[in-house]
Amino acid sequence: MRASIVERPLDVTALIAEVAAESNGATAVFIGTVRASNQGRDVDGIEYTAYREMAEKEMLSILLEASQRFEGVHAVLEHRVGRLSVGDASIGVVVAAPHRIEAMDAVRQIVDETKSRAPIWKLEHYSDGGREWVGSGTSA
Amino acid sequence: MTVVVRLFASYAERFGRDRLDMSIRAGTTVADVVALLRLVPGGSSLPRIPLVAVNSSYASDTTVIHHGDEIALIPPVAGG
């Protein structure tokens, strides 16, 4: 199990290799990417920031919770920070398990929990020059 | 005693900085620290009950702060 905040592009092939084992019959992958529009506004890019120490600690707890709930899963989670452009991958979750149901259910739980608990923030930059902290309800 | 308060994202913009040192008395709780932060320029617009972490773990209003603790105000998270 590994959970990291990274400042470089995500390498999905490397993440898949990290959890590979002959005992696994399934590998489920989730990649979150920067979308070109949000709530009707054209997005240029997103600037991600994190409280790194806490985010990595929280993300590792999330992986451990998934491994306790779903039998036999091995997972790796990376979240990128910094300025990302449309199409760039911001989060990568790879779960390998003996069977597909556990792998897919674990991926969903890990992504959902990361989005709701990990102290990570995004500042959206729009094509019209505006910017806004997502989730805070305040324009910036 | 002295503690460090870290500020992130929209909160860092409101306060115009990403950390500040606070001198507090023994027995001070998270709720007390938040009340003090409201008096700092930028602090008046904090939500009624902001999320707070102490030493990298989510804390409650009644958590007691100790010398050397790192307190963090956590704006609404939006990872993914």
Side-chain angles (χ1 to χ4, degrees):
Chain A
M1 302 284 175
R2 179 177 65 82
S4 304
I5 297 291
V6 300
E7 293 168 0
R8 49 159 175 76
L10 303 188
D11 182 344
V12 181
T13 306
L15 295 178
I16 292 171
E18 188 170 330
V19 294
E22 290 185 350
S23 57
N24 297 325
T27 303
V29 176
F30 174 83
I31 303 296
T33 52
V34 175
R35 208 170 44 238
S37 70
N38 190 27
Q39 298 187 329
R41 299 181 77 177
D42 292 334
V43 173
D44 255 4
I46 297 179
E47 196 173 331
Y48 284 90
T49 56
Y51 180 7
R52 179 187 293 268
E53 309 92 295
M54 182 175 172
E56 290 185 335
K57 181 177 165 185
E58 199 71 22
M59 285 156 50
L60 186 59
S61 294
I62 289 166
L63 296 189
L64 294 173
E65 288 164 18
S67 73
Q68 287 167 0
R69 178 174 174 191
F70 302 105
E71 193 176 343
V73 307
H74 290 87
V76 62
L77 163 58
E78 286 189 348
H79 200 300
R80 188 177 171 188
V81 294
R83 175 69 184 253
L84 276 67
S85 301
V86 170
D88 286 345
S90 56
I91 180 172
V93 180
V94 180
V95 176
H99 303 287
R100 70 185 186 285
I101 299 298
E102 287 77 11
M104 291 190 288
D105 287 354
V107 162
R108 179 168 190 156
Q109 176 173 312
I110 290 165
V111 174
D112 289 350
E113 291 294 313
T114 299
K115 289 174 81 78
S116 66
R117 286 163 50 186
I120 298 169
W121 303 278
K122 50 186 171 190
L123 180 60
E124 279 190 336
H125 292 266
Y126 304 104
S127 302
D128 62 12
R131 58 201 277 277
E132 189 163 335
W133 291 101
V134 176
S136 67
T138 57
S139 296
Chain B
M1 59 186 186
T2 304
V3 294
V4 174
V5 178
R6 295 186 66 181
L7 303 160
F8 297 92
S10 57
Y11 291 175
E13 286 194 348
R14 289 182 198 191
F15 282 86
R17 54 179 140 176
D18 58 14
R19 62 180 289 154
L20 53 91
D21 298 327
M22 288 181 74
S23 294
I24 58 174
R25 291 176 300 187
T28 296
T29 64
V30 163
D32 297 329
V33 169
V34 170
L36 289 170
L37 286 170
R38 290 189 196 286
L39 305 176
V40 176
S44 60
S45 61
L46 282 174
R48 196 169 63 84
I49 306 176
L51 272 180
V52 176
V54 176
N55 300 329
S56 299
S57 294
Y58 286 112
S60 74
D61 271 6
T62 56
T63 300
V64 175
I65 306 301
H66 299 97
H67 178 70
D69 280 351
E70 178 175 278
I71 300 160
L73 287 192
I74 308 291
V77 300

